[in-house]
Amino acid sequence: MGTSYRSLQHVEARTRFDLLQVISYDVTLDLASDEATFGSLTRILFDSQGGETFLDLKPAGVNSLRLNGTELDHDTLQAGRVPLSTVAGRNEVVVDAVMAFRNDGEGLHQHVDPADGRRYVYGMSFMDAAPSIFACFDQPDLKAPYTFHVTAPADWTVIGNAPGAQVEAGVWEFEPTPPLSTYFVTLVAGPYHLIHDEHDGIPLGLSARQSIARDLDADADELLTMTKACFDEYHRLFGTRYPFGNYHQAFVPEFNAGAMENPGCVTFRDPLVFSSRVTRGMRIQRATTVAHEMAHQWFGNITTPKWWDDLWLNESFAEYMGNRVTADVTEYGDAWTHAAYARRQWGLVADQAPSTHPVAGNGAVDARAALQDFDGISYAKGSSVLKQLNARLGDEVFFAGVIDHFDSHWFGNATMSDLFGAWERAGAQHLADFTDSWLRTAGPDTIVLDRDAGTIRRTPPPGNPADRSHTFGVTTISASGWETSPVTVVGEETPYRTEAPAVVLDAYEDTWAATLLDPATVQSLKTLLPTVSDARVRAGAWNGLRSSFHQVAVAPSDVLDLVEAAMPHEDNDDAVNYTLPWAIASGVELGPDPAAGAARIHRTMLSRAGSAPAGSTLQLAAFQSAVATAADESRLREWLAGGLPEGLELDLDLRWALLVRLAVLGSSDPDELDRALASEPTARSRVEHSRAMASLPTAEAKEWAWRRFTGDEDVANYELEAAGRGMWRAGQEKVTEPFAQRYLDALPDLPLTHAGWVLGTAVKAFFPSTCLDPALVASARQLAGSGTLDPTVHRNLLDLVDSLERRIAVREAFDPR
């Protein structure tokens, strides 16, 4: 898509909102051709105060542009905008354009399934992408109803935001939608496998590609049961019914995010239809994603933020409600434990990065900048803050204010002040201090026990000295057991004395802070953590260790010691899934002897796979970690031939995990990987083939990956990311070293190759994370200060360099070489 398109500025959005009121969209799409483009005819009725404005349009070509019956000069289209001289009163603009299908997960994404050659498309209109599907006034506060008409191949099904029907072969007509923001608009079209159901008067649907139809059928009962339970709970909590008619959940290929909350037709990444055995943690992740997107039907879809600086009104609420409702009404009552492992560090690391920003009022000057704020702060931190607010207000006041908020802005837009006004009307008092400390101030406090001084120390984030108080549980652990007692931390020091060998601060995540483990606790946990049966306390201990490591207060050897001591007794596969990749990246790769460290983890996890119940998800998680650290080619080959421990099966995911590990070790070659892909040519295989090819420790393999980064080889988004992740492997520094400077040299022009979501993905996936060289850090910082980088590239580079600097600091502190 390139950088020739301008992203909408906040000031421009305010001006256009004051000028226009959009009455309706009528959109006709012609998807019948199998070409690289499709026809898009858009008719927009709008009222204007009269004056100059612009229409958003990103076409491959334009047939006609007409405003109030007058043809406009096509050359007026510049940088994705058509200037409009509107008249006072009713106006009509009609755009007949040719649009390009995309392969980056945005706009109208087209995918040809390598398993059977069938073609599928879906719409992702989020953040600057809608104008590549239809002409529009692309901002969240210019809502309007949409009526769609679609022509498609006769064997396709077309699903949209509103109920629709095939009125003749290949011709689909849809009912008008309620008022929607442009970024919610979608179509899902293709020969999808469909499942229909109904609950409480709401038609339900599921769909996925034909090649994974059997897997969707296997998962349908679980998905529909969760959906029904969540609807019942949301209706109870919000006091108002889901208002968008049908509720379809479409699992679509090569989707960038976990899911998108489009009213009436939610889109999910289709790896969430499980084609191989997965851990319980993966099922909890899917369940919370389902509940998260359902919460958006109220938080976001009924009442939408006026601008992206209030995106937390969408994401923080959906994150909080998704975890809460999953834990309360589905079979996954341990959803909060999953969130502790899966989300806590994501948010804390983001909140300590150079790009940290407040939860609310994040300063999104344009839509492209706002996309970068869909991060761990807007999700995990915002959810934690709302959990604190709910504890402070209680459910009665909390939900009374939420319901008032919906009722006051039904199918409209709102701001943070609107919501807090609703809470005040519901009975909340004195929220200004809470708002300023938790929502408007960036960065986490750091909290640690100082045993010698007998205090708990609180250090505010640098440059943001918020005077926050924290009330949380302190869990003391000894040979006789563990107990949790409440503590309120006020000011910089709070008296606290204990003789307990191990102390875990805020294991239950009652506040938001980087809570560190004191040195005595780190050592004591090597003996005591295996004795703790409370999964939340164990999760809190691991998060304390990870926060301590992030602040260069724990040695890689301590990480390995704790893995070796605790994992043989761990019974939660989330602890394995989320802790072991971090432990490998920190304890192994930064330790004095990476090969010996990997061997220690391998022995530990292979032993746990052997002691776990055969066929359990814990066994699967432990074995996956054993594969990731294996160094014995003959054993990997034995497993690849089917000689697996009892209870495991050589499905697609496990087969590719073994092939990727063989590639990392240099014990495979491109021919073997090509044969593996040809023998099972699925979409998942194609992605893992890219990961494996890029993981080979040869210059040719790294050049193969590099061509995808530079765009010399055009590949879809999932394959691009896999190639980047595979390219930088610890232990392959001699081969990858030349690419570190090449990476920096490529960044200024990278937006000419990649755009939108995928631009950030490319910057992150191909970053030279294994190059622990201070000279690289210096060069990267010089580039970041040059003023030559696109904002997305600049922001991601600063955060990545910060992470690399921390890794270098750990190496220098604990293993100077």
Side-chain angles (χ1 to χ4, degrees):
M1 297 296 291
T3 56
S4 59
Y5 296 128
R6 292 175 58 190
S7 188
L8 182 70
Q9 303 284 307
H10 192 188
V11 64
E12 294 173 322
R14 289 197 299 264
T15 299
R16 194 161 60 173
F17 176 83
D18 290 340
L19 184 70
L20 305 180
Q21 179 182 2
V22 184
I23 306 302
S24 66
Y25 284 85
D26 189 279
V27 181
T28 300
L29 299 182
D30 184 355
L31 311 180
S33 170
D34 61 358
E35 302 294 328
T37 58
F38 60 96
S40 174
L41 176 65
T42 308
R43 177 175 177 263
I44 311 172
L45 292 179
F46 63 96
D47 288 340
S48 174
Q49 300 294 322
E52 301 299 318
T53 189
F54 59 90
L55 183 73
D56 298 298
L57 179 65
K58 300 177 180 179
V62 175
N63 297 323
S64 69
L65 299 168
R66 300 183 69 85
L67 175 62
N68 299 325
T70 300
E71 185 73 21
L72 304 179
D73 183 352
H74 297 188
D75 291 339
T76 62
L77 173 63
Q78 297 290 332
R81 297 179 176 186
V82 179
L84 299 179
S85 297
T86 68
V87 299
R90 184 61 48 88
N91 290 255
E92 180 187 68
V93 62
V94 180
V95 178
D96 185 357
V98 177
M99 303 291 198
F101 287 111
R102 297 171 65 170
N103 70 348
D104 60 359
E106 298 186 65
L108 204 58
H109 181 98
Q110 180 170 244
H111 171 84
V112 177
D113 192 340
D116 55 21
R118 290 186 171 103
R119 185 167 66 101
Y120 298 88
V121 301
Y122 64 86
M124 178 59 163
S125 297
F126 187 67
M127 288 297 189
D128 288 344
S132 66
I133 305 175
F134 56 94
C136 57
F137 300 108
D138 188 21
Q139 61 190 74
D141 58 352
L142 287 178
K143 285 185 166 182
Y146 288 77
T147 303
F148 268 80
H149 322 270
V150 180
T151 302
D155 62 334
W156 281 23
T157 297
V158 183
I159 300 163
N161 298 103
Q166 187 172 205
V167 296
E168 60 181 271
V171 178
W172 294 77
E173 297 289 337
F174 291 85
E175 299 174 14
T177 71
L180 303 180
S181 299
T182 48
Y183 77 92
F184 294 141
V185 177
T186 194
L187 282 172
V188 174
Y192 283 94
H193 174 64
L194 301 175
I195 296 172
H196 296 286
D197 203 348
E198 181 273 341
H199 179 67
D200 193 21
I202 303 170
L204 305 178
L206 303 171
S207 60
R209 289 174 290 128
Q210 291 290 342
S211 63
I212 56 174
R214 182 178 62 181
D215 305 308
L216 181 64
D217 287 342
D219 283 352
D221 182 66
E222 179 179 327
L223 288 165
L224 291 169
T225 297
M226 287 189 303
T227 301
K228 295 171 185 179
C230 290
F231 262 133
D232 290 344
E233 182 70 351
Y234 284 130
H235 287 159
R236 182 184 75 83
L237 292 172
F238 297 151
T240 185
R241 286 180 56 81
Y242 170 74
F244 294 104
N246 297 353
Y247 192 73
H248 189 87
Q249 297 174 99
F251 294 85
V252 298
E254 297 167 340
F255 198 74
N256 283 317
M260 179 63 197
E261 65 267 21
N262 317 301
C265 183
V266 178
T267 44
F268 295 81
R269 57 168 50 220
D270 68 10
L272 290 176
V273 176
F274 302 131
S275 299
S276 297
R277 285 191 65 223
V278 296
T279 62
R280 175 179 172 82
M282 282 297 299
R283 293 190 177 276
I284 299 175
Q285 178 184 328
R286 183 174 69 181
T288 57
T289 303
V290 167
H292 178 112
E293 304 310 320
M294 294 183 74
H296 271 310
Q297 307 309 311
W298 288 264
F299 286 108
N301 294 7
I302 293 175
T303 303
T304 308
K306 185 169 179 60
W307 182 247
W308 302 115
D309 55 355
D310 271 330
L311 68 88
W312 78 281
L313 294 173
N314 281 8
E315 299 305 339
S316 301
F317 270 95
E319 181 85 357
Y320 169 63
M321 295 304 304
N323 289 326
R324 172 177 169 155
V325 169
T326 300
D328 288 350
V329 303
T330 77
E331 64 183 287
Y332 300 114
D334 50 341
W336 284 114
T337 303
H338 171 81
Y341 281 113
R343 310 293 265 188
R344 184 75 166 183
Q345 288 300 315
W346 177 42
L348 283 170
V349 169
D351 208 18
Q352 297 170 80
S355 66
T356 185
H357 57 83
V359 175
N362 54 43
V365 295
D366 61 24
R368 190 175 299 158
L371 178 60
Q372 304 308 310
D373 285 336
F374 280 77
D375 58 13
I377 296 170
S378 299
Y379 286 75
K381 181 179 181 179
S383 169
S384 177
V385 171
L386 286 173
K387 188 180 175 185
Q388 290 174 244
L389 183 61
N390 176 264
R392 174 171 172 165
L393 300 182
D395 266 5
E396 183 177 352
V397 171
F398 186 85
F399 285 108
V402 165
I403 292 168
D404 181 358
H405 184 64
F406 296 149
D407 290 344
S408 300
H409 306 280
W410 191 255
F411 290 136
N413 298 83
T415 66
M416 175 178 169
S417 62
D418 293 324
L419 176 60
F420 275 77
W423 273 323
E424 290 170 359
R425 290 191 295 273
Q429 296 179 350
H430 310 302
L431 292 180
D433 61 327
F434 183 90
T435 303
D436 291 342
S437 294
W438 295 104
L439 295 174
R440 295 197 184 279
T441 303
D445 291 348
T446 295
I447 301 177
V448 64
L449 172 64
D450 184 334
R451 289 178 182 265
D452 293 338
T455 63
I456 295 176
R457 297 190 186 278
R458 180 190 72 89
T459 304
N464 295 308
D467 187 18
R468 301 171 176 137
S469 64
H470 300 261
T471 298
F472 54 84
V474 175
T475 302
T476 55
I477 310 171
S478 66
S480 59
W482 65 94
E483 61 180 3
T484 301
S485 303
V487 169
T488 298
V489 173
V490 179
E492 294 184 3
E493 295 186 2
T494 299
Y496 184 86
R497 293 190 180 276
T498 180
E499 299 299 321
V503 178
V504 177
L505 305 177
D506 195 28
Y508 295 93
E509 299 180 9
D510 297 316
T511 192
W512 181 259
T515 51
L516 310 189
L517 301 181
D518 67 279
T521 293
V522 172
Q523 300 309 315
S524 297
L525 283 175
K526 297 174 186 179
T527 301
L528 293 175
L529 190 58
T531 70
V532 177
S533 62
D534 188 325
R536 289 296 298 277
V537 173
R538 298 198 306 272
W542 282 112
N543 275 323
L545 187 77
R546 293 182 67 171
S547 288
S548 301
F549 190 88
H550 190 69
Q551 296 199 16
V552 198
V554 166
S557 59
D558 290 323
V559 174
L560 290 177
D561 289 347
L562 200 54
V563 167
E564 206 167 40
M567 285 300 161
H569 308 275
E570 183 57 66
D571 61 5
N572 185 306
D573 61 41
D574 271 327
V576 177
N577 277 344
Y578 291 98
T579 302
L580 266 296
W582 167 79
I584 293 167
S586 54
V588 172
E589 295 177 8
L590 299 181
D593 188 341
R600 288 175 65 184
I601 287 186
H602 177 73
R603 288 192 298 269
T604 299
M605 301 318 298
L606 190 59
S607 175
R608 189 66 185 108
S611 62
S616 67
T617 62
L618 179 63
Q619 179 196 32
L620 176 61
F623 188 74
Q624 289 169 338
S625 296
V627 169
T629 49
D632 185 341
E633 179 186 356
S634 61
R635 172 165 277 185
L636 288 165
R637 291 288 177 190
E638 177 185 347
W639 289 336
L640 189 59
L644 297 169
E646 181 184 356
L648 297 169
E649 58 184 80
L650 191 66
D651 55 25
L652 183 146
D653 280 4
L654 195 50
R655 181 180 298 110
W656 276 107
L658 292 164
L659 286 167
V660 167
R661 185 59 186 167
L662 285 166
V664 171
L665 296 173
S667 301
S668 184
D669 58 52
D671 289 343
E672 179 183 23
L673 299 176
D674 289 346
R675 289 193 300 271
L677 176 60
S679 69
E680 197 167 9
T682 67
R684 184 59 179 266
S685 293
R686 194 161 62 185
V687 172
E688 294 307 312
H689 174 266
S690 292
R691 191 185 317 278
M693 287 286 287
S695 297
L696 291 166
T698 66
E700 293 77 13
K702 305 312 176 187
E703 289 288 355
W704 184 95
W706 188 254
R707 290 195 297 274
R708 283 140 182 81
F709 179 59
T710 59
D712 293 331
E713 293 286 345
D714 182 30
V715 295
N717 48 350
Y718 281 19
E719 293 171 68
L720 174 72
E721 182 174 16
R725 300 299 181 193
M727 181 172 176
W728 297 94
R729 295 286 188 178
Q732 297 181 359
E733 288 79 9
K734 288 184 178 180
V735 181
T736 56
E737 182 180 6
F739 292 91
Q741 187 60 48
R742 288 174 66 181
Y743 169 85
L744 295 179
D745 293 342
L747 291 183
D749 293 331
L750 195 64
L752 300 176
T753 302
H754 305 292
W757 191 296
V758 167
L759 176 59
T761 297
V763 175
K764 289 180 282 191
F766 282 86
F767 180 77
S769 57
T770 60
C771 185
L772 302 179
D773 183 356
L776 176 67
V777 171
S779 295
R781 292 206 177 280
Q782 182 178 10
L783 175 62
S786 68
T788 62
L789 297 181
D790 169 274
T792 296
V793 178
H794 180 263
R795 174 173 173 160
N796 280 288
L797 179 63
L798 285 179
D799 287 354
L800 291 161
V801 169
D802 178 72
S803 177
L804 184 62
E805 268 194 310
R806 290 174 185 270
R807 290 174 63 80
I808 292 171
V810 169
R811 171 70 64 81
E812 292 178 345
F814 299 105
D815 180 34
R817 300 187 181 187

